[in-house]
Amino acid sequence: MNSGAMAAIVWLIPALPLAGALILLVTGRRADAWGHLLGSAAAIGGFGLGLVAFIHLLGRDSADRVLAVRLFSWVPVADLRVDFGFQLDQLSVCFVLLITGVGALIHIYSIGYMAHGPDPAGRVGPDAPGRRRFFGYLNLFLAAMLVLVLSDSFLGLYLGWEGVGLASYLLIGFWQYRPTAATAAKKAFVVNRVGDMGLIIAMMIMFATFGSVSFADVFSGAPGAGEGTLNAIGLMLLLAACAKSAQVPLQSWLGDAMEGPTPVSALIHAATMVTAGVYLIVRSNTIFDLAPGARTGVIVVGAVTMLFGAIIGCAKDDIKKALAASTMSQIGYMVLAAGLGPVGYAFAILHLLTHGFFKAGLFLGAGSVMHGMDDEVDMRRYGGLRTLMPITFVTFGLGYLALIGIPPFSGFFSKDKIIEAAFAQPGLTGPVLGVATLLGAGLTAFYMTRVMLMTFFGQRRWAQRRNEITGETGMPDPHESGRSMTVPMIALAVGSVAAGGLLTIGNSLQDWLEPVVGFHHAEPPMPVWALTILTLAVVLVGVGIAYRQYVLREIPAVAPAASALTTAARRDLYGDAFNETVFMGSGQVLTKSMVVVEDKVLDGAVRGVAALTIVSSSLLRRLQTGYVRSYALAMFGGAVLVLIVMLLGRF
């Protein structure tokens, strides 16, 4: 295929879902009947084009797998010259396939899911106008995410970054008649704006240092920049990644975002948007390789968030919030791996790709359970669903086994690689990070086994539930979902089983990514087989503790009084309280201080000038008496004064 045809394919990849979004959002009610089909077709078409692009790259030499597509001159302003273009290489094509592939499956799933869910006006049914708008938002999200990963400059990446933020706001708050959903959307939007400032500041430093924000110019100039400058850029990029990928301390929005429709949770909060921060760090590997301080920050943030999310997941009764905490933790694994540099970049992407399959499948499985349980999300009111929802049970179970890292499922291949890389770090860093990753694996096994047992096993704990749309109260009638929902779940379950092995056969993914991110092999201090056995032992301990707690003991319908740690975990380890105290509280103090400064200093100075003008004018006004003799006397006095001065000057 010639270069012109490939260039057309590259820009068509994001153009297809963007066109779908425009048609669905502009056409209006006329598209209600077929909007979901158009939206799904746009996503599937993008995946097809992504496959063509991938096959084309496979046919090129490993050193020549970069396809640059310049579309137009975007910012020709003074010294800042930015062209809008795309860069298809080994890293970006991985994300293209993940975004469009998983995105297409979620679009298909949404056809069935949204046929039974309320639209923003509270109406139910396949012809409700909300479904067409929902698919328009999904297409808009895909287009923005594709622009993010395909752009050849940080400014283009920022365009997609903001587009993703807008689309996530629209999708999280899609059922805005629910106050909790509207609040969650605003919270996600505001928290992400904090991180966006990091990316803006990083681009400012890049322009001041390199005179450009394109990847080629910044990365080629990085070796000549000072370490302090590169650390500053790296830390600002990390701030941006923390918000998008829900990492400490900007993680508080992710749990609340589960108020959105479940397909949104699968697409945005499992497979794509939350991985944008990982992509940003890995794409900027040249900067982080030369900025040890920033890399240390990445490692610390990843390790803390990995454990932070896992602890929260152990205490959540809401099935979607438990999976959201799991996402936070697993992204922490990826960020930690990215912080290890060439040792871990490829493993971060490996876990990102496998996680996209099994976590999206888990979220879709949760949506299927909710669909059968009249939108009930409290796992304490589930139980015994495995016989009533067999397809959901099997597909969810395969995702569960992949997530906790049981061989030969995909999570075993990806997460264990990160654990090995952590233990291989020099000095005390290796044991500290290694133990942390092992602890994270044990906690993951505990909370995911807890989810499986509370949902699909044990006694049926169903309870009457009031329908918030109709106002009617009744018992749920669990049943298996339709084919439009189960087929994507099956496809993602296949990926949960096979993706890890396929991506690691013969170090295939490492070799594929090496020209972009590099790779350095590091041996852990113990044989790999021994570390694998140790990891599996820790995982089985977590499974055993969960089994004892939720099978051998009765599960109460209401969460019992808990220890201080469990209470803290149920409250997200006081993440909101911390942010309100440290960030919002300090912001309020700063705002009040600025009000005082404005009122007393700035406005005071203006009022002082006005008062001085009034006083001086009143004094001068007294000289204007209106009597001619007074003016003549003043003139005579002035003349005498002039004469005196002249006479004194002579002597």
Side-chain angles (χ1 to χ4, degrees), residues 17-87:
L18 179 60
L22 291 175
I23 293 172
L24 294 177
L25 298 177
V26 173
T27 304
R29 294 296 303 270
R30 288 170 292 182
D32 287 350
W34 46 265
H36 57 291
L37 300 177
L38 175 64
S40 300
I44 295 170
F47 178 65
L49 293 175
L51 278 178
V52 172
F54 173 64
I55 294 171
H56 175 76
L57 289 185
L58 278 177
R60 304 175 71 163
D61 294 335
S62 59
D64 188 34
R65 286 176 176 159
V66 179
L67 182 62
V69 179
R70 179 184 180 277
L71 298 179
F72 54 86
S73 181
W74 187 17
V75 186
V77 180
D79 294 333
L80 179 60
R81 315 285 296 186
V82 180
D83 293 333
F84 188 84
F86 293 142
Q87 174 177 304

Side-chain angles (χ1 to χ4, degrees), residues 311-312 315-316 560-575:
I311 293 171
I312 293 173
K316 290 295 183 182
S563 64
L565 178 59
T566 303
T567 301
R570 289 174 180 168
R571 297 181 181 180
D572 297 338
L573 295 181
Y574 304 109

Side-chain angles (χ1 to χ4, degrees), residues 109 113 262 317-320 323 361-386 388-397 451-452 454-457 461-462 465 476-482 485-486 489:
Y109 176 94
Y113 187 89
T262 299
D317 293 331
D318 184 318
I319 187 171
K320 287 177 65 178
L323 294 178
L362 288 169
F363 268 112
L364 295 189
S368 180
V369 170
M370 291 167 56
H371 170 68
M373 294 291 292
D374 292 340
D375 284 334
E376 178 64 72
V377 295
D378 189 348
M379 294 185 294
R380 293 185 180 275
R381 297 186 177 184
Y382 289 168
L385 293 178
R386 69 184 185 280
L388 299 173
M389 307 179 71
I391 298 176
T392 301
F393 167 63
V394 172
T395 56
F396 195 98
V451 170
M452 280 293 297
M454 293 180 72
T455 302
F456 296 103
F457 293 87
R461 302 179 301 278
W462 311 338
R465 177 175 173 81
D477 180 24
H479 56 278
E480 189 59 88
S481 302
M485 296 172 65
T486 56
M489 291 160 55

